[in-house]
Amino acid sequence: GGTEYAQESKDWGNGVFTYCLLTGLGTNKADLNRNGSVSISEMQKYLSKKVPELTNGTQKPTSRVMNYSNDFTIWKK
């Protein structure tokens, strides 16, 4: 969120948001429907769960309301 501090760790090698983004794409864990690609909405859901999970709820990513007509693929394995 805009009033939260971005958390970083040597274990992550990045900030937690970047770590989760790269992990979600690199391991395909963000492919929530298991169709071989990651959409914007899947990444949004994945980050909304993983970032607070790793920070014990002290960092929560925010995003705008999703326009599902523009829910395009951002990663394909």
Side-chain angles (χ1 to χ4, degrees):
T3 60
E4 299 170 347
Y5 289 101
Q7 296 182 38
E8 297 183 6
S9 170
K10 289 181 183 179
D11 294 335
W12 301 326
N14 291 291
V16 68
F17 183 89
T18 302
Y19 172 77
C20 290
L21 178 75
L22 295 174
T23 300
L25 294 175
T27 64
N28 224 28
K29 289 182 179 180
D31 180 10
L32 302 179
N33 64 4
R34 301 292 179 226
N35 69 348
S37 63
V38 178
S39 67
I40 293 288
S41 64
E42 286 177 305
M43 182 54 71
Q44 180 183 24
K45 289 174 190 169
Y46 179 80
L47 291 171
S48 293
K49 179 182 176 195
K50 294 305 287 184
V51 171
E53 189 178 285
L54 289 176
T55 62
N56 296 315
T58 60
Q59 185 174 330
K60 298 169 215 73
T62 59
S63 60
R64 295 182 180 165
V65 174
M66 174 59 67
N67 179 344
Y68 287 99
S69 66
N70 293 323
D71 189 21
F72 54 88
T73 299
I74 59 172
W75 184 263
K76 200 169 214 172
K77 216 164 194 186

